[in-house]
Structure formats: structure tokens, C-alpha cells
Amino acid sequence: MTAEPLMRVRLRVEQDVFVVRQLGREVARAVGLESQDQTRVATALSEVGRVLLAAGRHADVTFTVEPIGVPTLHVAMVHPVTGEAARLTGQLQHVGRLVDTMEVDDGETGTIVRMARRLPLGAPRLTPDRMDEIREGLARHVPGTPLDELAVQNQQLIAALDEVRAQRDDLARLNAELEETNRGVMALYNQLSEELEETNRGVVALYAELDEKSAQLGAASEAKSRFLANVSHELRAPVTAIIGLGRLLTDSGSDDLTVEQRRQVDLIRGSATDLLTLVNDLLDLAKAEAGRIEPNWSDVDLRAVFGQLRGTLRPLATRPGVDFTVDEPGVPTLRSDEVLLAQVLRNLLTNAIKFTEAGSVRLSVRRVGDDAEFVVTDTGTGIPQELQERIFEEFYQVPGSKPVSGKGTGLGLPYARRLAGILGGALRVDSTPGEGSTFTLRLPVAS
Ligand code: ADP
């Protein structure tokens, strides 16, 4: 729906251009456009009016305000000669910049120039009453002479010049500020670059130190493994000899010993056997740490491995209140080293049997994705949360934890974890003190 026009006026002679210019400013002011926009609209009208009059007999101007949506002032100027749109568009190109939109069309009654300028957001609302008021005001408007209009134009020019000067001053001030800021930014940048360079130097030095330290650490760990391997190797022969000699002394073929002598020889043999276990464990661990264990990969039949563990460990699990179970394997075969795998499982099961007074010890295996998961659960003493990583350190034993049976060296778990790594998997523990522990060995099914 098009709103009722605010005003219509016809341009016939050149003087009317001044009239339409004044009217344009009046309408623009009345609908709420700001002073500069009033001048823009007035100038656009007089320019279009001038061009249209030069091209033909007369031109009709209609002012309308569209109050719905974004309130906008529309001006339509109709020139009674048709087919002029293309030519006029070229001539009026510069006017388009003064308004929001300008179109030149060929209509049935002539060429139509349409212009629109949006009203500012804060403009007073254009109610029907206000529109009537504006209409009445415009009808009463008495146009001034061209001289009056010239005076108004001069004033506007002076105001525009003032504004341009103020803008130039503002620009100069802004430029100065910008230069100052730039200088500040440059100084900050330089300072930051220097700090960064310094930090970088520090980081580089730190890394060099770190490399050196890790090389030292590697060398120390290698030396330790070598030392352990050598010492254990050297100790094995004499310790084995002590055990042998002890056995010889207590043999039935030897001279009879007194009861006290026999007791002491047994003690020596017992200690020597413990020492041999420790030496053997140390040698195993040292070999694993030195990377001297090469797995012998084959398709391992888990039924056989489980059967053997069941057979060899049952004699250890003699406590009547403990139910020792080795399940049927849920994974038939896997690519691994049979001896090393059995060694890990044996260590875990012996520990479970050692630390379980009553309840159950159980071994099972199931497939999880591409892995086989071996689980050894027990209902034994359990391990406090904060020590669950420490038990994988060499010689570490949970303080106050006494095995229900047997002894220990504190080397079984570190060795088991090493072997798990060598076999391409991992070993972890979950445990609750007083309830029991679960050790989980995860190995790839296909190596
Ligand atoms: P050890 O020869 O002493 O058993 P390990 O390295 O095998 O050495 O184990 C280290 C320590 O971890 C044990 O001394 C014990 O305190 C704790 N531990 C290991 N397995 C269990 C388990 N199943 N239940 C409770 N404690 C355990």
C-alpha cells in the first residue's frame, strides 16, 4: 500500500528549480531528517529538476513518506517525455550519491526518477495526525525568491566548509595519535622481541642441559644393568656351590652330623637358596633392562600354557580356604613368546597366592578388540592406591605386607612389566585394600 503523498508540485520554468529545492529542504526537515541530510535532499532535487527541465517541458514532483518498516522519504519526479531513462541515468549519476537509492525508469506517462532517503532512527514517529500537520505546513509554505535561496545556500556552504575544517582538524589529531601509538607499539614490539630472544636462548640452553642429563641417565642405567648382570653372574657359581656342599654334608653317605650341626647346615642351605633366587631374579631383570631378551615369536596355544600353569601352581595353592582356578582360555592362540608369557602369568599368580588368605585366585583371558586381556584376580590383602605404581619399582614391597606364605625379592613385578613391554603390551593393577587385587596384562593377539 502506498501512503498518501505529502505534497505534489510541478516544475515549469527554471525558477521553479529554486522552489523545489526549498520545498525539498522543508519536507526533509518536517519528516525528521538531520540538517546535512536536508541539504542533500534539497541539492538532489534541484539537480534532478534542472536536468529534467532542460530535457523537456515540465516535471511533476511527488513527496511521500513510507512510515511502515524503516521510515523512508520517497521523491518521484516524472518528466513527460518517454524513452529518456538511459540518457538521464548517465546525466544523473552523481546525484545518486546524495540519497540512499535512485532509479530512473521509462514509465507509460514519461520518464520517472525515483529517490529515497531513510529517516534516522531517532526521528519522531510519523502518525497520520503528524502527516496531516506536515501537509498543512507545506501547503502554507510561501517559496522565497531565488536570492533568498542563494543566501540559504551560502549559509549551508559556510556550514559545510566549517564542518570540513573540523573534520580535517580531527583527522590531523587522529593521525598524530596514531603516530604516537605506532611508536609505542614499535617500542613494545622491540622489547617483546628481545625478551623472546632471551627466553629462546634460555630454552635452548635448558634443552641442551636436558639432553646431557638424559644421556647421563641412560649411561648410568646401562652401567647399573651391566653391574647387576655381572655381579649376579659372578655370584651364581659360588652360591650354587654352597648349596651343593650343604647337600653333600647332609647326605646319608656323609659322616653323621650332630643335630645342631644339621640344623645349622640346613640354615646355610636355606639362605643360599634364597640368595640364588635373588641372584637369578636380578640377572633376569638386568637382562630385560639391557634389552638382551629377544622374544621367540610363535603361535602360542593358550590351552597348553594355562594347563601347565594350573598343574605347576596348584601345589602352591594349598590353603583350604582359597579356591584356585585357571579358566578355559577365551582366546585360543596368540602370537607371542610362550616362555616369557608363562613367566609373567606365573609371577602374577604366585603373588596372588602369596597374598591371599581366603577366598579365590583366578586366571582368565578374553579378547578385547585386537588384544588379549589376561586377568589375574585375587581376594587378598590388596594394595593401597598410592602404592599401586611403586610396586613396579625394583625391590619395592608394600610396607607391613607379609606374604601369607613364601618369600619375595621385590623384583617379580618390575620384571613382569618389562616382559609385558617386550611382548608389545602393558601390565596394570587395580586394587582395594582388604578386598583384593586385579592385575591385567594386555597383549596384541597378532604381534
Ligand atoms: P615380591 O617378590 O615381594 O612379591 P613383587 O615385585 O612381585 O615382589 O611385588 C612387590 C610387592 O607388591 C609385594 O611385596 C607386595 O607388597 C605387593 N603385591 C604384589 N602382588 C600383590 C597381590 N596380588 N596382593 C597384594 N599385594 C601384592
Side-chain angles (χ1 to χ4, degrees), residues 351-352 354-355 378 381-383 391 396-398 401 407-414 437 439:
N351 274 349
K354 264 189 339 196
F355 290 98
D378 66 57
T381 50
I383 302 144
I391 55 171
Y396 190 82
Q397 296 181 312
V398 174
S401 87
K407 298 181 191 157
T409 57
L411 292 172
L413 285 179
S437 313
F439 285 81

Side-chain angles (χ1 to χ4, degrees), residues 114-129:
R114 286 194 189 83
M115 292 180 282
R117 180 86 195 171
R118 280 191 298 276
L119 304 189
L121 280 178
R125 255 168 57 78
L126 292 171
T127 56
D129 285 351

Side-chain angles (χ1 to χ4, degrees), residues 25 118 233 309 436:
R25 193 171 42 244
R118 280 191 298 276
H233 191 73
L309 287 171

Side-chain angles (χ1 to χ4, degrees), residues 72 101 117 157 193 230 239 256 271 311 316 341 355 373 388 390 421 437:
T72 308
T101 56
R117 180 86 195 171
L157 202 60
S193 299
N230 288 341
V239 173
D256 280 349
S271 300
L316 292 181
L341 170 63
F355 290 98
E373 211 172 66
Q388 286 176 11
R390 293 213 61 191
S437 313

